[in-house]
Amino acid sequence: KKGKREFERMHKLFLRNVKSMNKGFTMPPKNKKSRQDPSQDTPKHAKQLNGKMLYTYLALCKRELDISKDAGSGLSKASWAKIREEYNAKFNITREPKYFSNVWFYQKVKYNAWTLLLRRTENGFNAETLTFHLPPEEWDALIKIKKNVSIFKKGGLLHEDLMEVIFGNRVATEHV
């Protein structure tokens, strides 16, 4: 229950921040054919981001945090606009602001689950394969605490180094 309440609290805070962030984005192209289908900007699609596109997104976020004067508070509207513009240009797509906020939120939740798993399992992590070797009953107990850890049953956290830099000081620590 405590983890769920914390998640809901963080989600409300996130949505409030996203509302204020969206005001600073540039308008999408007027030519509707050149726009990406808005249905591609859903949280489901943000969860599917991986490989080169995820690395590019995280690298752009890290760069903007590095040059930001107040990195502790997150990214500015101008930084989000730069990330959006460069990402869309690199992959020749047009993603809406909602997509970038969905990706940020999902990656932050994933990083939070990863750090919880690392703290809770101690010797169950294999640094060479980046996987956790835990008995099924331990997985079940951890998933009851935080369901997002289930994504790490089969693999590790992609781009852990970038995630650490981006979210390390921004993730609320849960005491479970």
Side-chain angles (χ1 to χ4, degrees), residues 5-170:
R5 274 186 273 148
E6 178 65 17
F7 174 80
E8 288 170 354
R9 186 185 70 76
M10 292 295 290
H11 186 67
K12 284 180 185 176
L13 184 64
F14 168 76
L15 291 176
R16 194 176 320 131
N17 288 336
V18 168
K19 258 187 189 173
S20 65
M21 254 189 325
N22 285 344
K23 294 175 186 171
F25 285 108
T26 57
M27 291 300 294
K30 289 183 180 181
N31 180 352
K32 289 185 179 181
K33 289 182 180 177
S34 68
R35 292 180 63 188
Q36 185 76 16
D37 178 3
S39 66
Q40 299 294 305
D41 291 345
T42 64
K44 178 182 175 185
H45 289 93
K47 289 179 180 182
Q48 294 170 347
L49 185 66
N50 57 31
K52 187 176 183 179
M53 293 178 103
L54 176 59
Y55 179 82
T56 300
Y57 174 84
L58 293 172
L60 289 170
C61 289
K62 180 188 177 303
R63 184 199 66 203
E64 288 302 314
L65 287 168
D66 287 346
I67 61 175
S68 172
K69 290 184 168 101
D70 190 18
S73 64
L75 293 167
S76 67
K77 291 177 188 177
S79 292
W80 280 114
K82 284 182 201 174
I83 290 167
R84 180 175 174 230
E85 183 179 320
E86 288 183 45
Y87 183 90
N88 285 338
K90 180 170 181 136
F91 297 108
N92 196 25
I93 58 175
T94 304
R95 292 288 194 197
E96 300 296 322
K98 184 69 175 168
Y99 174 79
F100 294 95
S101 63
N102 285 336
V103 172
W104 177 272
F105 181 70
Y106 180 66
Q107 297 305 321
K108 188 174 179 178
V109 167
K110 219 162 72 168
Y111 178 78
N112 193 9
W114 176 259
T115 56
L116 172 79
L117 197 54
L118 284 173
R119 286 192 313 267
R120 296 290 300 240
T121 57
E122 296 173 11
N123 297 326
F125 180 67
N126 182 331
E128 288 180 25
T129 62
L130 299 177
T131 56
F132 291 91
H133 301 286
L134 304 170
E137 58 275 359
E138 196 168 341
W139 273 115
D140 293 342
L142 287 166
I143 291 168
K144 282 181 184 175
I145 295 169
K146 188 155 188 85
K147 72 176 185 170
N148 294 324
V149 300
S150 65
I151 60 175
F152 301 117
K153 281 179 93 171
K154 294 183 175 145
L157 181 68
L158 286 177
H159 314 298
E160 180 185 2
D161 53 340
L162 283 171
M163 296 272 218
E164 172 71 27
V165 171
I166 295 168
F167 300 116
N169 296 326
R170 289 168 188 76

